[in-house]
Each structure stands twice: as C-alpha cells, then as structure tokens.
C-alpha cells in the first residue's frame, strides 16, 4: 500500500469529511462493478461514439483482461516522476538547474486549493462523486455523440487521464513507447480503465488528484503545477490567485491552443470558462468570479532554463563535469543504463565542492589576461590540498554551442572521458614528479649531476627491461634551453633553472620505472586522451599530454606533504524529499614520505624565489612554491603552484594544440620572437587568480628542510691554480665554460613525426623549456 498523503483543504460547500472510500449511488456501485464487459463496452463508446460495434469485439479479450486485472504495478500508485535537478556551489548558490522534464513534485498541502478545485471542475466535475468510470458521463457522451454523429465528446475520468499520463511518463524519451502510450486503441483503453478501477481501490481521491497535478503537462516544458506556476507566473503554486489557477487548469485540454504566451486571447476565454465552472460547482462565489474575470492575464513568463549552458560566472564547465561524474561513477549505478536513469530521473539537490569566490577569481584571471577572440585559450583548475576537493574550474572561452561566439562545450580542464579534450604536453611542470621519485628512493637533494649542455639519451632501466637509444643524429640527444646552462648542478639549482640534462641524468640513475610508479601514485596512469604512457626518457620533459585538473592535483599532493587524494566534485546529494544519496568519496593515501615532501617543497620554493618563477610573488609576500613549463615550439605553457591552502594549475595554448605562441598578441600583451614562457604567459594568470582567491586568508608557510646551496662555480675564464679545469669546477670534458656538442640557441628538437605526441619509440620528444 502506498502511504496516504495529507488531505487537501476541502473546497467551500463540502462537509469537510475525507472523500476516500464512501457509499454512493447505485450508479456509482455499477461503475465499480462493470470491471470487464461493462468497462469494455464503455471503452467502445468512448472510442467510436457508439456502443454496439464495440460489444462484439470485446468478448475476444475479456478473459485475458480478467486474468491480469489484479496485477497493477506499484509505480502507478506513486510513479517515480522525472523532476528537475539543482546543482549548487559550496556556499549554497545555484549553479544550474538541469532536467529531462522540468517538474517539482508537491504534496497536496503545498498546492493552491484554487488549483485543485479548478482542475477538477473543468475536467471532471463529478470526480469526487463517481468511481473510476463515470456512467452518467458515459451516457451523456453517448447521447451527445449520437446526436452529432461523431465522437466529439468523451467521458474519460480524471483517474483514467492520470493512468494515461503515467504510461507516457514511463515511456520517457523513447518516442516509440510514447506513441504507443498515446495510441487510441480499444486494447489501450481497456488497459487504462482496468488500472483506473484498481487505483480507485488503493488510493484516495485526494491522492489521485495530487498525483495527476504533479504529472500533467502544461506546455513550454512545464510538467506539473509547480513548474507551470513558475513558468507562467514566477511564483509558487500555493500562492496562485483564482484567475491564475483557472488559467493553468484550462491549458491542460490543449496546451498549444491555450498557450498564454502565443494566444493570450484564447487563454483568457478558456480561463473564464473554468471560472464559470468553479462558480457552478460552488467552489468560489460570484464576486470572486467577477474579480477573477476582470483580472488581466498577468503573465510573468520565464523561459525554460535547462542545463549547464544556463550556469553563471563561467561555472558551466564544472556543471558539465558534475554531470559526467554522475553518469560514470559506479556509486550512482552498476552500469551505464542505471546511471543514466538516475540522472534523467532527476529530483536531486547536488551540493558541490565549487567555491564561488575562488571560481570568480579563476574566471576573472583567464578572461582578463586572454580574450575569447584570441587564437589561444587559458584554463585553470584550483584544488584544496589534502581533501581532493575541486575548488574552481575556469577557462577563457564560454560554455555554449555557438562557435561564432567562440563558445565551446569541451572542458579543457579535464580528461576526454569527462567531457574534455586530449590534454596538453606539460613541459617542465612534470620534472618535480621525477624529483619526488628520486628523493623517495633515497637520493640526496644535494646530489650533483654533470648536466652538460647537450647529451645523448643514455640507456635506462624500465619496469620490464631496458630502454636503449637507437635514434640517429639530433634525435639521439637532449639539450638545455640556454647555451650557458652547463653543470654540474644540484637539485635546487637545476629545478630553479629547469636544466633538462640534469633531469635526464637523474632519470637514468633512478630508472624510468620508479618515475612511472611515482606518476601513478600522483594520479597519472594514462594520458588525458586515455592512452597508456610509454616509459621513455622524454617523459620527464613533459611530453605526456595531461589536463589542468590532473596537474593541479599533482601539485595539491605536493602542498599536502605527499598526501594524494582522488579528485571529488560533490559534497552531498539529497532527493527533493530530503533523503541523502550516497556520493563518491575521495580516497587518500601517502604517495611519499613527509621528509620527501618537505625536501620537494624546499626545491619548488626556490623556483619561485630565485628561479624561473621569481616574478610571480603574491601579495604580502605570501609563500608559494611551483614550477614553470614551456613545450617545444611554444605550443603550450604552464604554471602550476601552491600554498598550503590552494593548489592551482594554469595552462595556456591553442585549444587544438597547434598554435605557436611566438610573435603573437594574447590579451593586451604582445609576445615577440622569443615567444611565451611559463613565467610570462600562464604565470601572470596564476598570480592574478591566486591573489584574489587568497585575499583575506591567513598567511601560512610550507614545511621545508635546509638544503644548502652548492658552492659557487669558479669563473671559467680564470686560470685554475692547479691548471686542472675539472678540479677547478670546470665541465667534464675539459672545456672551461663550454660543452662539446652544445646546441646554440638552446632547447631541443622534436623528432620527426611526433609533433604533439608523447615522444617516439627512442624516447626523444619535445618537452620542457626552462621558463
């Protein structure tokens, strides 16, 4: 048995007694008793306007109908109605409302008494007096149709109409099923009558009316009386006037013909007919009717606002990410079909992790530094260290479907599987991943490497064997950004200057497998496109194509002293009736020791104090740590950095990855032949976003350790006391200040055929420029 809902307020003139099961006239008992043959006869009457032709045909189905009569599905009593879902930010602000059908289910006491009375009076005035079948109405219809020779007048009760609407609702977006539910056939009518009779035994009249008012379509994508009230009058249903309630009640017969937006005159005429019916049935007084008829239509129409495209303040991409989470996370259903049904069913209040203040900061930064009309775009993701919470997700180009307005629905902050693109090469922002692996393996932070200006990729161990360099010519080697970058270097200085050869030599000592395993611990198990990454030396230089969300979470792990947490976007979900829904939880684990974390903080703090990120300091001298990154040919530039409270990763480049950011104007800044670097392009975006996001937050310091700076290298032009250049700090190979094979102009060459890729089979690829 379905739970009995509260009784609706009784219309004027009623005794006030509940109108559930009661004794009635002989006609009422006859209406309940017809069940099969009688019901079938009445079906024929309503379908054809004549009883006799239908009677003979119905004998063929009476037996099977009788056998299945008692098998009424429970979802006819309380059907799971599709409703709107609302998505909120972390402070309770509405991000967007999404729905397959715009509907908010109300209880009887949340509805206007005028609405309930008006709907009954215009559609089934004897609703409270008859059973599932209204014999008086049937006989009246037979008489009228016989006189006219047509089937112009029907006799469906409100209960029968409700059953039909349930069948349509259950069909969902399956158009074939919808058409079947609406088919005016004898068999269909018998089924509807059968269910209607059973429902009248199980539910009170008030319950049936409440269900009907929640399921009925009122035009303009409004299902149910609450959505209709909001659509046409911008108010709650319980606050409707007599005239407004009559307007909505009159629309049900034909929402197109009585559309108050397109045909206001038709609507007013229909409204007044409803008002007359309300007077006739003594539900309002003559004075109330006169006042209602004199009232203007009084529309305060609001267009349907559906989906993430309606989100404000650049939140559309995050809204879309939430949608992907619900449709993909197993917590919301065992398979794709179950999760889709859960989302489409709606009726959810989704409370997310998005911080509206930080979102505003990120959105302001990516749109003020880069214009939507620029050939490049920017994307920024903010995360809370130690929790996995996504705090902001912004990008330059607005969420939308019109490419002429530079809109896009591709979320450049996330992986392809979550509505994003194929990611972007990360450049030198990936180098700290190797540093974490090296420190965790026991390597000293003062470990020096020769770091010649250019070296051949050396042989390296992998998880399954050995990588060997079989490339020819320049494809065999990697060089530093500047010809002056000649070692030896230790980690602090190498990270600050982003010395490529230092990290390739570290990579050889640690092994490719250790770096891959550390990447896995930091949430990097594949590229943004979904491809597995191959263990090749160019990996450390940032050839993997990853998303800003992935990189923001890597740096959030750095900020949380090695505590990695899977990203989450949802704090809580409740149904419209207040029940909690299980949501995905962040899974956290210690990716590496706190000692390793503190050493890494010290190294990355040096980048922002003395290295390539020194120009990106925050207001008040707030302590920050991070890393710049620029890829080959300046096709992508990054800055990923953090404080103890927030980690942010900013990417700048062509959305499709093919724009060379040289001799180009981005926003109000022109970049000449040297092009964009991590510190000059995405860096200022990061700086602006973080200053605004952290304004007023306490000044917190990162835990660090004392890593002594290396002894300064002697002047290579001075004569060593011993005459031994190597002993005097010169470069291995004996050339003071130089390096055989050094590449004039810096950088290193991308091997043929892998532009935009993840390195070739020999491990050589494009990657980290130092800035």
């Amino acid at each position: 048995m379905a739970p009995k809902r509260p009784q609706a307020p009784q219309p004027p003139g009623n005794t006030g007694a509940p109108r559930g099961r009661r004794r009635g006239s002989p006609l009422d008992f006859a209406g309940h008793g017809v069940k099969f043959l009688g019901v079938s006869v009445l079906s024929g009457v309503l379908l054809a306007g004549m009883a006799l032709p239908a009677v003979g045909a119905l004998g063929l189905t009476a037996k099977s109908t009788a056998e299945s009569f008692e098998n009424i599905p429970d979802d006819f009593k309380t059907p799971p109605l599709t409703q709107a879902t609302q998505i909120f930010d972390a402070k309770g602000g509405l991000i967007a409302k999404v729905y397959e059908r715009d509907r908010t289910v109300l209880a009887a006491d949340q509805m206007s008494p005028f609405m309930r009375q008006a709907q009954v009076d215009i559609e089934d005035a004897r609703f409270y007096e008859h059973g599932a079948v209204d014999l008086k109405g049937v006989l009246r219809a037979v008489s009228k149709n016989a006189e006219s020779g047509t089937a112009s007048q029907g006799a469906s009760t409100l209960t029968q109409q409700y059953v039909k609407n349930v069948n349509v609702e259950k069909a969902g977006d399956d158009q074939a099923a919808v058409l079947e539910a609406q088919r005016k056939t004898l068999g269909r009518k018998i089924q509807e009558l059968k269910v209607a009779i059973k429902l009248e035994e199980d539910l009170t009249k008030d319950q049936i009316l409440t269900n009907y008012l929640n399921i009925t379509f009122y035009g303009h994508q409004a299902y149910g009386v609450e959505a209709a009230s909001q659509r046409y009058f911008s108010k709650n249903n319980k606050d409707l006037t007599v005239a407004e309630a009559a307007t909505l009640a009159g629309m049900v017969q034909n929402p197109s013909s009585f559309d108050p937006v397109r045909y206001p005159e038709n609507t007013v005429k229909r409204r007044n007919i409803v008002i007359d019916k309300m007077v006739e049935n003594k539900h309002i007084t003559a004075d109330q009717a006169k006042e209602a008829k004199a009232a203007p239509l009084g529309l305060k129409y609001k267009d349907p606002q559906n989906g993430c495209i309606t989100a404000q303040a650049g939140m559309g991409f995050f809204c879309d990410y939430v949608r992907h989470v619900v449709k993909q996370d197993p917590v919301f259903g065992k398979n794709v079909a179950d999760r889709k049904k859960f989302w489409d069913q709606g009726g959810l209040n989704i409370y997310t992790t998005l911080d509206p203040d930080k979102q505003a900061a990120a959105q302001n930064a990516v749109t003020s530094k880069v214009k939507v009309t620029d050939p490049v775009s920017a994307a920024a993701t903010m995360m809370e260290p130690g929790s996995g919470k996504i705090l902001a997700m912004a990008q330059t180009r607005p969420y939308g479907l019109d490419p002429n307005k530079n809109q896009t629905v591709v979320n450049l902050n996330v992986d392809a599987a979550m509505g994003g693109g194929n990611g972007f090469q990360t450049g030198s922002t990936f180098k700290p991943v190797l540093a974490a692996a090296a420190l965790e393996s026991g390597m000293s932070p003062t470990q020096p490497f020769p770091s010649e200006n250019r070296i051949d990729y050396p042989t390296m161990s992998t998880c399954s064997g050995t990588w060997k360099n079989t490339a020819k010519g320049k494809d065999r080697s990697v060089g530093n950004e500047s010809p002056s970058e000649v070692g030896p270097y230790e980690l602090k200085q190498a990270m600050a200057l982003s010395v490529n050869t230092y990290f390739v030599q570290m990579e050889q000592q640690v092994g490719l497998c250790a770096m891959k395993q550390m990447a896995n611990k930091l949430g990097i198990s594949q590229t943004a496109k979904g491809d597995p990454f191959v263990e090749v030396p160019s990996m450390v230089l940032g050839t993997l194509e990853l998303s800003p969300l992935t990189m923001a979470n890597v740096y959030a792990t750095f900020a949380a002293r090695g505590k990695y947490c899977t990203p989450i976007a949802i704090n809580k979900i409740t149904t419209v009736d207040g029940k909690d829904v299980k949501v995905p939880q962040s899974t956290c684990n210690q990716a590496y020791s706190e000692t390793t974390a503190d050493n890494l903080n010290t190294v990355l703090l040096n980048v922002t104090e003395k290295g390539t990120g020194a120009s990106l300091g925050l207001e008040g001298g707030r302590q920050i740590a991070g890393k710049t990154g620029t890829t080959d040919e300046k096709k992508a530039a990054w800055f990923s950095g953090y404080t103890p409270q927030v980690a942010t990763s900013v990417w700048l480049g062509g959305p499709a990855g093919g724009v060379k950011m040289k001799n180009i104007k981005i926003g109000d800044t022109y970049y000449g032949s040297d092009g964009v670097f991590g510190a000059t392009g995405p860096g200022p975006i990061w700086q602006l976003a973080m200053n605004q996001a952290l304004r007023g937050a306490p000044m917190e310091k990162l835990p660090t350790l004392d890593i002594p700076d290396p002894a300064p290298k002697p002047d290579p032009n001075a004569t060593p006391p011993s005459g031994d250049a190597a002993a005097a700090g010169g470069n291995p190979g004996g050339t003071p200040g130089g390096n055989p094979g050094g590449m004039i102009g810096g950088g290193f060459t991308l091997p043929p055929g892998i532009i935009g890729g993840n390195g070739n089979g020999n491990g050589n690829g494009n990657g980290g420029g130092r800035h």
Side-chain angles (χ1 to χ4, degrees), residues 123-155:
E123 290 199 58
D124 189 357
R126 296 186 63 256
F127 173 66
Y128 282 99
E129 309 303 326
H130 60 66
V133 179
D134 181 9
L135 287 182
K136 284 184 179 179
V138 170
L139 295 174
R140 182 175 62 251
V142 171
S143 175
K144 292 289 186 182
N145 293 342
E147 290 175 6
S148 65
T150 67
S152 59
Q153 183 164 344

Side-chain angles (χ1 to χ4, degrees), residues 402-727:
D402 190 349
N404 295 322
K405 295 181 180 178
N406 297 292
Q407 295 176 347
T408 180
V409 292
V410 178
N411 185 354
L412 300 177
N413 280 284
V414 302
D415 291 354
M418 300 300 290
N422 292 333
F424 309 95
Q425 293 186 345
T426 61
S428 294
T429 59
F430 196 85
K431 288 173 180 173
V433 176
L434 172 62
L439 292 167
E440 188 70 357
S441 72
M443 183 180 290
S444 169
T446 59
Q447 169 71 48
F449 287 104
S451 314
E452 299 92 333
N453 191 258
R454 174 169 288 275
I455 61 172
D456 284 352
Y457 282 105
T459 298
M460 299 186 191
S461 64
T462 69
C463 292
S464 58
T466 303
W467 179 91
K468 294 182 179 180
N469 189 350
T470 59
K472 305 293 183 181
K474 288 186 176 180
D475 291 354
R476 292 182 56 83
S477 63
V478 57
N480 295 328
E481 176 71 12
S482 168
S484 66
E485 288 175 358
V486 179
Y489 291 109
E490 294 178 11
L491 179 57
K492 269 177 63 176
Q493 190 179 16
M495 189 72 79
L497 297 175
S498 203
V499 180
N500 292 333
T501 57
Y502 177 92
F503 288 97
V504 170
Q505 290 170 341
M506 174 186 275
E507 188 179 35
Q508 180 191 27
Q509 180 162 323
V510 174
L512 293 172
C513 188
M515 181 170 61
K516 178 180 179 181
Q517 290 171 345
M518 179 57 68
N520 292 165
K521 291 179 180 180
L522 296 173
I524 305 171
S525 58
Q526 59 185 12
T527 69
K529 186 180 179 181
D531 296 333
F533 61 82
V534 181
E535 295 172 69
V536 291
S538 62
M539 200 162 57
V540 72
L541 303 176
T543 55
L544 294 180
E545 293 172 323
L546 304 174
S547 68
L549 173 59
T550 296
M551 293 306 293
N553 206 23
V554 168
Y555 280 73
T557 306
F558 298 162
R561 299 187 77 191
K563 182 182 178 182
Y564 170 80
C565 298
T566 55
I568 55 169
I570 299 171
N571 281 327
K572 180 181 179 180
I573 296 180
T574 62
T575 61
V576 289
D577 54 0
K579 295 179 180 178
D580 287 335
V581 175
K582 187 178 179 181
V583 300
Q585 301 295 314
S586 180
T587 302
C588 300
N589 55 72
Q590 197 68 27
Y592 49 80
S593 70
E594 291 186 351
T595 300
T596 292
D598 295 348
N599 274 312
L600 191 58
N601 280 341
T602 307
V603 169
L604 293 178
L605 182 62
N606 194 55
V607 173
T608 60
E609 290 180 343
K610 299 179 181 179
T612 57
S615 63
L616 303 177
L618 298 184
E619 295 170 352
R622 187 184 296 273
Q623 193 180 67
I624 61 172
K627 185 70 185 76
T628 57
T630 312
T631 66
D632 191 63
E633 296 186 304
K634 308 300 176 71
K635 289 184 178 180
W638 294 72
F639 185 75
S640 295
Y642 56 94
T643 68
Q645 302 104 315
V646 181
T648 301
S649 187
V650 176
W651 159 87
L652 176 68
V659 179
K660 298 178 182 179
M661 292 185 290
K662 296 181 180 180
N663 301 309
I664 187 174
K665 187 175 182 180
I666 301 174
D668 295 324
T669 303
Y670 181 79
Y671 299 87
S673 58
D674 287 340
V676 170
F677 293 98
T680 60
I685 298 172
W686 182 94
Q687 184 182 44
L688 179 61
M690 290 288 277
N691 270 329
Q692 184 177 337
L694 291 168
R695 204 160 284 155
M699 296 282 189
E700 296 184 11
K701 289 188 174 294
L702 295 161
T704 57
L705 294 172
D706 179 35
I707 303 176
D709 291 326
K713 290 190 295 184
D715 183 352
N717 296 316
T719 303
S722 65
D724 185 347

Side-chain angles (χ1 to χ4, degrees), residues 91-396:
K91 292 187 176 181
L94 182 65
I95 294 175
K97 185 166 75 169
V98 297
Y99 51 81
E100 292 299 312
R101 290 184 175 175
D102 189 8
R103 177 190 284 117
T104 300
V105 174
L106 301 180
D109 58 2
Q110 295 173 304
M111 295 178 180
S112 163
F114 296 131
M115 185 75 236
R116 296 173 70 86
Q117 294 151 14
Q119 203 73 71
V120 170
D121 289 342
I122 192 61
E123 290 199 58
D124 189 357
R126 296 186 63 256
F127 173 66
Y128 282 99
E129 309 303 326
H130 60 66
V133 179
D134 181 9
L135 287 182
K136 284 184 179 179
V138 170
L139 295 174
R140 182 175 62 251
V142 171
S143 175
K144 292 289 186 182
N145 293 342
E147 290 175 6
S148 65
T150 67
S152 59
Q153 183 164 344
S156 290
T157 64
L158 190 145
T159 305
Q160 291 169 247
Q161 295 175 47
Y162 167 66
V163 171
K164 179 178 179 180
N165 285 342
V166 171
N167 284 326
V168 172
E169 179 76 18
K170 290 168 68 177
D173 55 4
D174 184 338
Q175 290 303 308
V178 170
L179 291 174
E180 175 63 23
Q182 295 175 329
R183 227 161 34 101
K184 295 181 178 180
T185 64
L186 193 54
R188 172 64 59 189
K189 199 65 179 181
I190 292 172
Q191 284 294 110
E192 289 175 2
L193 286 166
K194 176 189 74 171
V195 174
I197 292 170
K198 183 62 177 173
L199 281 177
E200 292 254 356
E201 293 178 357
D202 293 345
L203 302 179
T204 67
K205 287 286 190 176
D206 282 331
Q207 286 176 312
I208 293 172
L209 176 59
T210 299
N211 288 358
Y212 176 79
L213 290 170
N214 277 320
I215 200 171
T216 300
F217 179 56
Y218 289 88
H220 286 265
Q221 299 183 36
Y223 289 82
V225 291
E226 179 65 11
S229 301
Q230 296 291 346
R231 178 76 71 252
Y232 299 109
F233 299 110
S234 299
K235 61 169 64 174
N236 294 326
N237 184 261
K238 65 180 179 180
D239 298 325
L240 293 184
T241 65
V242 172
E244 292 165 345
T247 298
L248 297 185
M251 293 175 62
V252 171
Q253 184 185 75
N254 192 328
S256 297
S257 296
F258 301 125
D259 180 345
V261 178
R262 298 181 61 193
Y263 307 113
E265 292 183 1
N266 287 356
T267 304
V268 169
K269 291 178 182 178
R270 177 67 174 172
R271 176 198 72 178
N272 292 344
I273 291 173
V274 177
I275 293 170
D276 288 339
K277 287 286 187 180
M278 295 178 75
V279 175
E280 179 184 327
N281 289 289
K282 299 181 180 180
H283 290 148
I284 59 174
T285 66
D287 287 342
Q288 286 178 300
K290 182 178 179 181
E291 181 182 353
K293 284 186 175 183
L297 194 54
L299 291 185
K300 291 184 180 178
Y301 179 79
K302 291 188 297 189
D303 282 319
Q305 298 291 307
N306 182 22
C308 295
I309 202 168
T310 66
Q312 301 299 309
M315 297 181 184
F317 295 102
F318 179 80
C319 171
D320 187 71
Y321 180 78
V322 169
R323 180 175 67 88
H324 277 83
V325 169
V326 174
K327 289 193 171 184
Q328 294 187 35
D329 198 294
V331 75
F332 298 113
K334 295 180 180 179
N335 52 52
V336 173
D338 287 347
R339 294 190 291 271
K340 182 180 186 301
K341 181 179 180 181
F342 176 77
W343 176 261
D344 292 347
Q345 192 70 52
L348 306 172
N349 291 320
I350 301 178
Y351 301 94
T352 71
T353 62
L354 194 76
D355 184 312
D357 299 326
K358 291 177 175 57
Q359 174 66 28
Q363 188 66 23
N364 175 57
V366 297
T367 54
S368 62
K369 293 292 186 181
V370 184
K371 297 179 180 179
V372 296
T373 54
D374 287 344
V376 298
S377 188
T381 297
M382 290 184 175
M383 297 195 70
E384 181 180 80
S387 73
K389 291 182 178 180
I390 302 170
L391 303 177
M393 191 176 282
Q395 67 187 60
T396 303

